[in-house]
């Protein structure tokens, strides 16, 4: 057995059951070995798309996923997606063939490429150690919550591998137990607070974490918010105020700003979640709980930092807390939350015309038309707040938010990876026209996989963020504005059903598609109004 086959078998035995990629000569035998051992291989049309699919699959499944790429150019094609995964601390294994011959056309410093975008890098160095080194990369990805590049030199892949020892999946990452004195100080801080707000982030995105935080918030009268990546964690809780930060509704921003205590649970409390700090009052106490001590206070000064697993820390705090306190909760607050915390319940002037539809009107209509059991992948751009906040989500595994790198063009592949992780839900990809055209090649992947996906394109014929950023300065905008493109026609060429939407009446085929067999995916080319930048973009520009 060659090393390539031995490594492929070992990785599958170590728990890697989904591999995304584009196959070339250097990763051909390794990828086939993974498939032969039982892993599912998802062929993308571009390595960048494959990287983001793998990232999204890992986020939504909770498993280590793998990306398989050719040496050199295969890896460079995937770098933006790898960078997004690395910045998001996604446990992802990148399997890259490698040439060590500096005269080869494919030669690049692959270690340097990985490090440049924040990924870890390791290498198979001998036939004797290949299996252990590959399994070590899986353990590192899981236990360190990192994106790990495993370089596989071509000459070593071709060697004979020794008979290996049995391989099994690595144990789960052990939870970090908080120190008792830190828990005691946290409880004292909670008991002094009159208006506490909990903000849960990526580190709280588990049912157990949700339940522990809900119980502790009930005891101390805290309102419950999330970062964008954890949206849906407190779905249907009457004290949930949805997303804190640039996406916040006016009421949510008001309530967070009025808190005398903000506790970030597995949440970075960064510029986005706290609106460059403007959501933190001058007298507000800020606490951060995270199982990584390096995360505490990284983005802003905190009055108390607690190193510990979110669920463990919340349960220990609950055990040490006294009787129930009203805190920030009152009948008046509850009525306001029910009436005004959702963006779709905030009144607005509909700017739709016969030629273009207001993105708010579009998003509210889609929220009503599409099944509630959905999983949403969102691209980056001026439009992205509308699908992220106006489309409801049933839980914390419903919105896949690949925005750590702020790259456009990732949304379609995000939705593909999320769809494969959650086959029980309707996948929805929300894209701008720039991102849709940049990633259109993966429409083929959607159709080939038979995914019953809805792709919504918020089409303003421009890079809208740049238009609204630079228009006030009266700069020329020719470089960021484009002639109209019939994206619906492009989608039909890939085998989609497609509809062009300018008014609400144009959405009737969407109702028919949702009620039908959904035998082909659907693309909605929505010609949206473009007079104003989105509310979240205005907030973001305040930080420039």
């Amino acid at each position: 057995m060659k090393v390539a086959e031995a490594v492929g078998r070992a990785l599958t035995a170590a728990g890697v059951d989904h591999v995304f990629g584009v196959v070339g000569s250097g990763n051909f035998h390794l990828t086939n070995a993974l498939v032969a051992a039982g892993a599912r291989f998802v062929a993308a049309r571009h390595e960048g798309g494959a990287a983001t699919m793998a990232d999204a699959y890992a986020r939504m499944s909770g498993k280590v996923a793998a990306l398989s790429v050719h040496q050199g150019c295969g890896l460079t094609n995937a770098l933006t997606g790898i960078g997004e995964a690395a910045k998001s601390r996604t446990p992802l294994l990148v399997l890259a063939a490698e040439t060590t011959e500096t005269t080869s056309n494919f030669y690049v410093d692959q270690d340097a490429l990985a490090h440049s975008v924040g990924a870890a890098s390791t290498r198979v160095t001998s036939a004797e150690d290949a299996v252990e080194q590959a399994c070590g990369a899986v353990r590192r990805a899981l236990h360190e919550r990192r994106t790990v590049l495993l370089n596989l030199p071509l000459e070593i892949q071709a060697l004979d591998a020794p008979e290996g020892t049995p391989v099994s999946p690595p144990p789960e990452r052990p939870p970090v137990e908080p120190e008792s004195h830190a828990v005691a100080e946290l409880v004292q801080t909670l008991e002094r607070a009159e208006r506490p707000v909990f903000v849960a982030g990526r580190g709280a995105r588990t049912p157990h974490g949700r339940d522990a935080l809900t119980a502790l918030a009930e005891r101390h009268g805290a309102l419950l918010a999330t970062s964008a990546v954890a949206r849906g964690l407190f779905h249907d809780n009457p004290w949930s105020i949805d997303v804190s930060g640039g996406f916040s509704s006016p009421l949510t921003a008001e309530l967070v700003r009025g808190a005398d205590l903000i506790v970030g649970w597995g949440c970075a409390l960064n510029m986005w979640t706290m609106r460059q700090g403007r959501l933190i009052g001058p007298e507000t106490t800020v606490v951060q709980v995270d199982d990584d001590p390096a995360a505490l206070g990284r983005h802003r000064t905190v009055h108390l930092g607690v190193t510990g697993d979110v669920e463990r820390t919340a349960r220990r705090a609950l055990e040490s807390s006294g009787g129930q306190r009203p805190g920030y909760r009152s009948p008046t607050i509850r009525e306001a939350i029910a009436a005004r915390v959702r963006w779709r319940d905030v009144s607005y002037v509909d700017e739709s015309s016969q030629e273009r539809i207001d993105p708010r009107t579009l998003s509210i209509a889609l929220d009503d038309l599409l099944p509630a059991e959905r999983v949403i992948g969102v691209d980056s751009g001026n439009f992205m707040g509308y699908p992220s906040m106006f489309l409801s989500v049933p839980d914390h595994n419903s919105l896949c938010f690949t925005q750590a790198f702020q790259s456009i063009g990732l949304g379609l592949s995000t939705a593909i990876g999320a769809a494969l992780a959650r086959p029980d839900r309707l996948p929805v990809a929300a894209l701008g026209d720039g991102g849709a055209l940049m990633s259109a090649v993966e429409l083929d992947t959607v159709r080939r996989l038979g995914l019953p996906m809805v792709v919504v394109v918020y089409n303003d014929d421009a890079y809208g963020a740049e238009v609204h950023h630079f228009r006030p300065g009266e700069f020329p905008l020719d470089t960021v504005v484009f002639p109209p493109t019939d994206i619906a026609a492009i989608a039909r060429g890939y085998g989609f059903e497609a509809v062009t939407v300018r008014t609400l009446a144009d959405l009737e085929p969407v109702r028919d598609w949702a009620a039908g067999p959904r035998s082909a995916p659907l693309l909605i080319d929505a010609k949206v109004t473009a007079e104003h930048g989105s509310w979240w973009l205005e907030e973001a520009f305040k930080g420039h």
Side-chain angles (χ1 to χ4, degrees), residues 8-332:
R9 289 187 177 188
L11 290 173
T12 307
V16 176
D17 62 7
H18 272 70
V19 185
F20 301 78
V22 175
V23 171
S25 60
N27 62 328
F28 180 85
H29 296 299
L30 172 67
T31 305
N32 282 347
L34 283 155
V35 172
R40 180 180 183 180
F41 177 65
V42 179
R45 285 301 191 179
H46 190 276
E47 289 91 347
T52 302
M53 292 174 204
D55 178 13
Y57 180 85
R59 296 187 196 209
M60 305 306 281
S61 69
K63 301 176 181 179
V64 176
L67 167 68
S68 177
V69 296
H70 188 270
Q71 61 271 25
C73 53
L75 180 60
T76 58
N77 277 346
L79 272 183
T80 298
I82 294 170
E84 167 65 35
K87 288 175 179 289
S88 298
R89 301 293 297 274
T90 301
L92 176 65
L93 184 62
V94 180
L95 306 171
E98 182 181 38
T99 179
T100 56
E101 294 293 334
T102 59
T103 56
S104 169
N105 288 354
F106 295 124
Y107 178 79
V108 289
D109 188 339
Q110 298 193 173
D111 286 328
L113 290 174
H115 295 151
S116 72
V117 295
S121 184
T122 187
R123 176 172 287 98
V124 168
T125 58
S126 70
E128 292 73 24
D129 300 321
V131 165
E132 174 53 36
Q133 289 168 335
C135 292
V138 176
R139 286 194 301 273
R140 187 175 185 188
L142 179 65
H143 292 168
E144 296 182 17
R145 290 197 303 257
R146 295 199 69 179
T147 295
V148 177
L149 168 64
L150 178 63
N151 293 293
L152 293 137
L154 296 174
E155 64 272 18
I156 294 180
Q157 287 194 56
L159 296 176
D160 291 324
E163 290 296 324
T165 56
V167 174
S168 59
E172 291 294 319
R173 185 177 190 270
V176 178
E177 188 72 35
E179 295 185 356
S180 57
H181 71 85
V183 173
E185 191 171 353
L186 171 61
V187 171
Q188 291 170 7
T189 304
L190 286 167
E191 291 180 343
R192 288 194 298 266
E194 297 180 356
R195 298 180 307 282
V197 170
F198 288 179
V199 183
R202 193 189 315 274
R205 280 184 67 246
T206 66
H208 295 308
R210 175 199 61 211
D211 294 345
L213 289 179
T214 299
L216 185 63
E218 178 75 19
R219 181 71 59 88
H220 291 280
L223 302 183
L224 293 162
T226 70
S227 65
V229 296
R231 185 173 186 234
L233 185 65
F234 303 116
H235 180 71
D236 283 343
N237 187 297
W239 301 105
S240 169
I241 57 175
D242 213 346
V243 172
S244 173
F247 283 176
S248 294
S249 67
L251 177 61
T252 298
E254 176 186 333
L255 292 171
V256 175
R257 198 178 290 115
D260 63 352
L261 171 65
I262 294 174
V263 185
W265 297 89
C267 177
L269 299 178
N270 59 24
M271 59 179 285
W272 305 105
T273 309
M274 291 290 113
R275 290 192 178 179
Q276 292 87 30
R278 291 193 301 277
L279 292 185
I280 302 173
E283 304 300 322
T284 302
T285 299
V286 180
V287 175
Q288 189 178 4
V289 178
D290 202 289
D291 64 3
D292 180 4
L296 300 176
R298 182 179 180 188
H299 291 276
R300 63 187 64 260
T301 301
V302 297
H303 298 89
L304 172 64
V306 180
T307 301
D309 173 78
V310 165
E311 181 200 352
R312 294 290 180 97
T313 303
R315 295 205 182 281
R316 298 296 177 266
L318 185 63
E319 293 165 2
S320 302
S321 296
Q324 187 162 328
R325 305 170 65 251
Y328 214 162
R329 301 184 177 190
S330 70
T332 302

Side-chain angles (χ1 to χ4, degrees), residues 334-371:
R334 182 164 179 168
E335 289 173 8
I337 291 172
R340 294 188 287 121
V341 83
R342 297 189 308 169
W343 264 110
R344 64 169 293 163
D345 296 327
V346 177
S347 62
Y348 67 96
V349 177
D350 190 340
E351 298 177 347
S352 301
S353 68
Q354 289 303 306
E355 294 300 316
R356 290 191 175 271
I357 188 168
D358 190 307
R360 295 164 293 188
T361 303
L362 169 70
S363 301
I364 292 170
L366 290 174
D367 192 36
D368 294 335
L369 284 172
L370 299 176

